[in-house]
Amino acid sequence: MQTTFTPDQLRDPGTQRANEILRSCVHCGFCTATCPTYQVLGDELDSPRGRIYLIKDMLENERVPDAKTVKHIDRCLSCLSCMTTCPSGVHYMHLVDHARAYIEKNYTRPWHDRALRWTLAQIIPHPMRFRVALALAKLGRPFAGLLPDPRLKAMLQMAPKRIPPVSRNDDPQSFAATAPKRKRVALMTGCAQKALNTDINDATIRLLRRLGCEVVVAKGAGCCGALTHHMGREKEAHGSAEANIHAWMAEMEGEGLDAIVINTSGCGTTVKDYGHMFRSSPLAEAAAQVSAKAMDISELLRDLEIPQGAPKGLRVAYHSACSLQHGQRVKAAPKDLLKRAGFEVVEPADSHLCCGSAGTYNLLQPEISKQLRDRKVQTLEAKAPQLIAAGNIGCMMQIGSGTGLPVVHTVELLDWATGGPRPRALEALD
């Protein structure tokens, strides 16, 4: 694609990167075949190729974004399926993230949109605030039908039936390995996950200790910044990321770390991109070191070699989170680990397509999100599984809201298969 950015425009690192990405696009349209929003809406502007045209026009002309451009970019899930499909290697993620930051700085949204997005940014990345919000949402759920805005209804419906008590395992501390020590790793405990499902981090710690890892929850580490980053709120996103970089660098420069382990794949995609996010800042070197140490839990467990397990007699439908298969290009490891642990693993048709969770997408675009969820649930249930496994809390909540089957994190099953407790969600099988 030909671009006409001026030398002055290209002095901005974000615009320079956008120019590189735009020039790599050859308009082939392969991305439209795997774009969930294009399949649902059928509008070229709701495909990656269409959005690329809108972004190019907006950035080159340095114009104030119009409502049409904002609408179509807001509808993007950032599932990154287009990046897996693209034969030209177009790095769409960096392009759309820059476009969202540009929109946030240059577009004035309607007051109710601004209020909603500000509320989400102030609550979800903060576990205790999120817990309070979930409790209030449970109280307000019977009145959801009276709300005129479907986004507010979606927020009330998000609250789980059970809000787990706080797990003290999420506090800054170190857990000694219970087998001969092989590695020292930092566990990212996240933000929303600590409010929605504390069993995941608990299972991760038990499993890693059992496999010879000292597990550190670093002081000062928290939200990865993904939620605000994908809303274009750069200052807040970079603030969260900086806190993590300082926290993990302190551990790396102290007793050392073999890996930074992440069991929420949406967070993992963002942490692995810290090196890019801070490439032109004084934190560039430290951010690159952190990104290089970041691993999805399934990548580390593959290296540690889960013991071979006996058949469990359970048929598991594995949902591959977009942030894991497209964002991090981790596809086989979770399935191979589950099979090795003794589970029968099946995959749904169109496993590359998004479930519609996508961070806050299910709250900001509930109609599209519901269509994607229903299609994903249908393809999963078509495999007649007894339960569904996934590696991302957002996907788990999204899919769980549309099916009666138990939905568990992959690491919970692996912990159970190697001596840990049976996942709480499997009580439904009884």
Side-chain angles (χ1 to χ4, degrees), residues 150-208:
R151 296 174 301 180
L152 297 177
K153 293 179 183 178
M155 291 177 72
L156 292 184
Q157 291 165 356
M158 178 186 181
K161 294 178 181 177
R162 174 184 173 273
I163 302 172
V166 174
S167 173
R168 296 273 66 100
N169 286 341
D170 292 329
D171 297 340
Q173 60 193 295
S174 179
F175 299 89
T178 55
K181 184 177 174 180
R182 301 167 65 185
K183 292 181 184 291
R184 185 175 191 267
V185 303
L187 173 64
M188 181 176 191
T189 55
C191 52
Q193 182 169 277
K194 290 199 290 190
L196 292 166
N197 189 333
T198 56
D199 292 345
I200 298 170
N201 285 342
D202 291 348
T204 302
I205 293 167
R206 284 192 302 266
L207 178 57
L208 290 177

